């Protein structure tokens, strides 16, 4: 399809949200050179010159709000997002999209990208020029030594790999201070105000989550707290008014966290306005890449029918809890969930099992084989059973035949242990959801997301229980 930087904005465009960079983290993102050959030539020829230049990376320097900005961004959680205004701004900065590209929303708060035309595999969907993209390395050059003290503090905490995210957060704060004088004002004004992830949760929220996702969510909030403390310790290009505003800093952190893209692990993260509007899909149909010049390209990876959402991958779909803790959305199409055996982390480490290895199927209740291994290993260990070393060797060497012999021998005990665990989680989740539903939604707006997550866990574990009950 032809790519165009012209678009007819809906009549309701004044009510929407600007799309800040990808609000999803792409842990598996790779710098593809797909476009270096024929596809790049095809895509480039389809893009037309932008009507206005993109904002310069170093155009904005921090000055006191009182001397520069005449209007600032309203970050209240109920504030409107001007998404379609951001889309128009992005196109004027050189962003171009395939015909059929459309932003849509069902509630006026959460937005997604759909296509109203059929898109064959390999179709260029979006192009964004490097000059308008927020790059952590370019921000480092722009800030100079202003962040040295804060970044040293983070490095001393062992957080060196998170410095690119820290720089993106500071850049958002810098542009916020510049208000409507910032070249990124339309993008900032389109960002979400209300987040549902672990950083945005309160202690009351954590009290309503099962142990595993509560642990993940609190880890996310602890990560933010490290950023907050380091920002206040050292020199920075930010005003004291900003440094004293914890809600503002948390908003900027969440914007950077949920909309950035990993380009080079621990070295380079980027946020691309409008490209950040692509939501996560369990079975994504698009991929985001960067060419050697730093331009952003979004391309279909499958044939996409008209009327379909255009989605990307933000993480492993086999375990939705990390996505919920980081991004605040529930992946309803996830095929599996972690078995919630958080109390067996010591045994998991001994067997070298990860959370993604210990799964229950959401639709069938099927139990992953390593779940059986883990629970039997725990039983043998607690009983100081003489067969423990041999079973451990069978698990770590992948000797399936030997493992099955042990499972046959101890099956009734493993079955009973697993049944007790599943029954306990079902009861726990019921109690947690009951507590969540007792909260006032006006003061706890994240309750519906929490209850939805708990319901997914409960429904999956009820299917697992049916499987176990059928076994004896």
């Amino acid at each position: 399809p032809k790519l165009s930087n012209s678009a007819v904005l809906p009549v309701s465009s004044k009510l929407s949200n600007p799309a800040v960079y990808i609000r999803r983290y792409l842990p598996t993102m790779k710098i593809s050179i797909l476009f270096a050959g024929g596809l790049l030539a095809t895509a480039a020829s389809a893009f037309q010159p932008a009507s206005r230049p993109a904002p310069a990376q170093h155009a904005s320097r921090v000055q006191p709000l009182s001397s520069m900005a005449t209007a600032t961004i309203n970050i209240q959680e109920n504030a409107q997002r001007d998404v379609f205004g951001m889309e128009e701004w992005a196109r004027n900065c050189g962003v171009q999209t395939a015909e059929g590209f459309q932003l849509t929303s069902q509630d006026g708060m959460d937005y997604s990208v759909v296509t109203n035309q059929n898109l064959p595999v390999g179709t260029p969907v979006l192009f964004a020029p490097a000059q308008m993209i927020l790059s952590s390395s370019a921000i480092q050059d722009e800030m100079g030594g202003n962040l040295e003290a804060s970044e040293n503090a983070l490095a001393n905490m062992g957080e060196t790999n998170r410095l690119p995210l820290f720089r993106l957060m500071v850049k958002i704060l810098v542009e916020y201070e510049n208000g409507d004088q910032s070249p990124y004002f339309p993008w900032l004004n389109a960002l979400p105000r209300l987040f549902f992830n672990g950083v945005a949760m309160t202690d009351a929220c954590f009290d309503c989550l099962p142990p595993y996702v509560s642990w993940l969510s609190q880890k996310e909030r602890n990560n933010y707290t490290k950023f907050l403390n380091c920002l206040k310790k050292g020199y920075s290009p930010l005003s004291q008014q900003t440094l004293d505003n914890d809600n503002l800093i948390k908003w900027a952190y969440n914007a950077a966290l949920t909309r950035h893209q990993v380009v080079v692990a621990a070295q380079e993260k980027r946020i691309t306005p409008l490209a950040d509007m692509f939501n996560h899909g369990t079975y994504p149909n698009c991929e985001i890449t960067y060419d050697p010049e730093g331009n952003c390209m979004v391309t279909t990876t499958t044939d996409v029918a008209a009327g379909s959402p255009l989605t990307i991958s933000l993480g492993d779909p086999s375990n939705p809890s990390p996505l919920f803790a980081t991004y605040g959305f529930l992946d309803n199409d996830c095929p599996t969930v972690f078995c919630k055996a958080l109390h067996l982390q010591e045994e998991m480490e001994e067997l070298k099992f990860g959370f993604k290895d210990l799964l229950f199927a959401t639709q069938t209740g099927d139990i992953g084989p390593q779940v059986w291994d883990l629970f039997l290993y725990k039983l043998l260990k607690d009983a100081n059973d003489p067969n423990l070393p041999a079973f451990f060797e069978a698990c770590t060497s992948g000797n399936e035949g030997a493992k099955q012999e042990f499972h046959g021998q101890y099956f009734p005990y493993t079955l009973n242990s697993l049944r007790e665990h599943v029954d306990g989680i079902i009861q726990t989740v019921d109690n947690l959801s009951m507590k969540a539903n007792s909260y006032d939604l006006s003061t706890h707006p994240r309750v519906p997301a929490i209850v939805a997550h708990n319901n997914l866990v409960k429904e999956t574990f009820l299917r697992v229980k049916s499987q176990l009950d059928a076994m004896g």
Side-chain angles (χ1 to χ4, degrees):
K2 180 183 177 183
L3 290 155
S4 170
N5 66 345
S6 62
V8 178
L9 298 180
V11 175
S12 60
S13 65
K14 305 223 184 248
L15 295 179
S16 296
N17 129 127
V20 188
Y21 182 56
I22 264 184
R23 63 163 158 195
R24 322 296 189 198
Y25 169 35
L26 299 177
T28 56
M29 178 77 196
K30 42 188 186 288
I31 313 268
S32 171
I33 37 183
L34 262 166
F35 299 98
L39 183 54
L40 176 58
T42 302
S45 64
F47 294 121
Q48 303 300 319
S51 58
R52 278 190 252 161
Q57 282 285 350
H58 306 288
S60 176
R61 297 292 179 179
V62 181
Q63 297 184 25
L65 270 171
S66 59
S67 67
M68 286 196 70
T70 58
T72 57
I73 304 297
N74 179 0
I75 64 165
Q76 295 298 312
E77 290 185 342
N78 61 353
Q80 285 283 349
R81 301 171 60 190
D82 184 11
V83 170
F84 294 110
M86 177 277 300
E87 181 183 16
E88 183 178 25
W89 164 83
R91 294 182 186 281
N92 288 337
C93 289
V95 174
Q96 299 172 56
T97 58
E99 291 183 2
F101 176 99
Q102 182 178 350
L103 293 174
T104 185
S105 175
Q106 293 183 342
D107 58 10
M109 295 186 67
D110 192 24
Y111 288 79
S112 61
V113 181
V114 299
T115 176
N116 57 33
Q117 294 188 13
N118 293 330
L119 299 178
V121 59
T123 298
V125 174
L126 181 146
F127 168 88
Q131 292 82 358
M132 67 153 338
I133 296 170
L134 285 81
S135 157
S136 61
S137 58
I139 295 166
Q140 183 181 19
D141 293 339
E142 175 185 344
M143 301 294 177
N146 285 336
L147 296 180
E148 184 175 354
S150 296
E151 292 192 356
N152 286 342
L154 272 177
N156 290 336
M157 293 180 184
E159 300 291 326
T160 304
N161 63 328
R162 303 188 80 238
L163 289 177
L165 181 63
F166 182 76
R167 292 164 189 153
L168 287 171
M169 178 192 75
V170 173
K171 177 64 173 175
I172 291 172
L173 290 169
V174 165
E175 299 303 334
Y176 170 87
E177 285 197 341
N178 288 334
D180 59 1
Q181 301 302 304
S182 166
Y184 289 98
F185 182 84
W187 175 74
L188 294 171
N189 200 32
L191 284 171
R193 274 58 160 190
L194 178 62
F195 292 89
F196 295 87
N197 61 358
V199 180
M201 289 182 186
T202 64
D203 290 340
C205 295
F206 297 143
D207 289 343
C208 298
L209 289 169
Y212 174 55
V213 72
S214 178
W215 173 67
L216 289 172
S217 298
Q218 290 184 66
K219 280 180 63 178
E220 287 293 351
R221 193 171 72 172
N222 290 341
N223 288 336
Y224 158 72
T225 301
K226 291 178 183 178
F227 275 31
L228 177 66
N229 292 337
C230 289
L231 193 62
K232 293 186 176 185
K233 278 184 178 179
Y235 298 103
S236 79
L238 300 170
S239 68
Q240 191 60 47
Q241 180 182 353
T242 293
L243 294 175
D244 290 340
N245 191 337
D246 289 359
N247 288 335
L248 172 59
I249 297 173
K250 182 181 291 186
W251 171 75
Y253 177 88
N254 268 332
L257 175 68
T258 59
R259 307 186 87 79
H260 82 266
Q261 197 172 6
V262 175
V263 179
V264 180
Q267 295 183 37
E268 173 72 350
K269 290 180 169 66
R270 295 175 187 168
I271 297 179
T272 303
L274 197 57
D276 60 350
M277 300 305 290
F278 290 85
N279 286 336
H280 169 82
T282 301
Y283 308 102
N285 51 31
C286 290
E287 180 183 30
I288 300 178
T289 57
Y290 291 88
D291 67 18
E293 286 71 43
N295 302 308
C296 177
M297 302 288 292
V298 182
T299 310
T300 57
T301 54
T302 64
D303 292 337
V304 185
S308 302
L310 297 174
T311 60
I312 57 174
S313 172
L314 297 176
D316 184 359
S318 69
N319 186 5
S321 292
L323 292 171
F324 182 77
T326 301
Y327 299 102
F329 67 83
L330 184 64
D331 186 357
N332 289 314
D333 296 327
C334 61
T336 52
V337 299
F338 171 56
C339 70
K340 313 304 179 190
L342 197 63
H343 62 294
L344 300 182
Q345 278 188 282
E346 179 180 318
E347 289 73 26
M348 289 170 58
E349 292 175 5
E350 292 169 359
L351 293 172
K352 295 182 171 53
F353 289 171
F355 294 111
K356 66 179 181 179
D357 301 317
L358 303 163
L359 303 174
F360 291 156
T362 55
Q363 297 302 311
T364 63
D366 288 344
I367 303 163
Q370 287 168 308
V371 176
W372 291 103
D373 294 345
L374 178 65
F375 276 78
L376 176 53
Y377 178 75
K378 174 63 173 174
L379 287 172
L380 297 177
K381 180 180 174 182
D382 287 350
N384 198 22
D385 192 290
N387 282 325
L388 177 63
F391 183 67
F392 176 82
E393 173 64 23
C395 288
T396 55
S397 66
N399 188 335
E400 295 298 325
K403 281 200 303 181
Q404 291 311 310
E405 288 185 16
F406 287 115
H407 280 301
Q409 180 179 350
Y410 293 97
F411 178 73
Y413 304 100
T414 312
L415 177 63
N416 185 60
S417 177
L418 190 52
R419 181 183 283 126
E420 288 180 355
H421 169 69
V422 169
D423 288 344
I425 291 295
I426 292 171
Q427 183 62 54
T428 296
V429 169
D430 272 342
N431 294 337
L432 294 172
S433 293
M434 187 180 303
K435 184 174 185 178
N437 283 322
S438 71
Y439 292 166
D440 183 350
L441 287 179
S442 65
T443 55
H444 295 85
R446 294 161 188 87
V447 162
I450 290 171
V451 172
H453 174 274
N454 291 356
N455 286 343
L456 172 65
V457 173
K458 179 181 177 180
E459 290 165 5
T460 300
F461 273 62
L462 285 172
R463 292 186 179 100
V464 174
K465 177 178 172 61
S466 294
Q467 293 270 17
L468 295 173
D469 289 344
M471 295 177 189

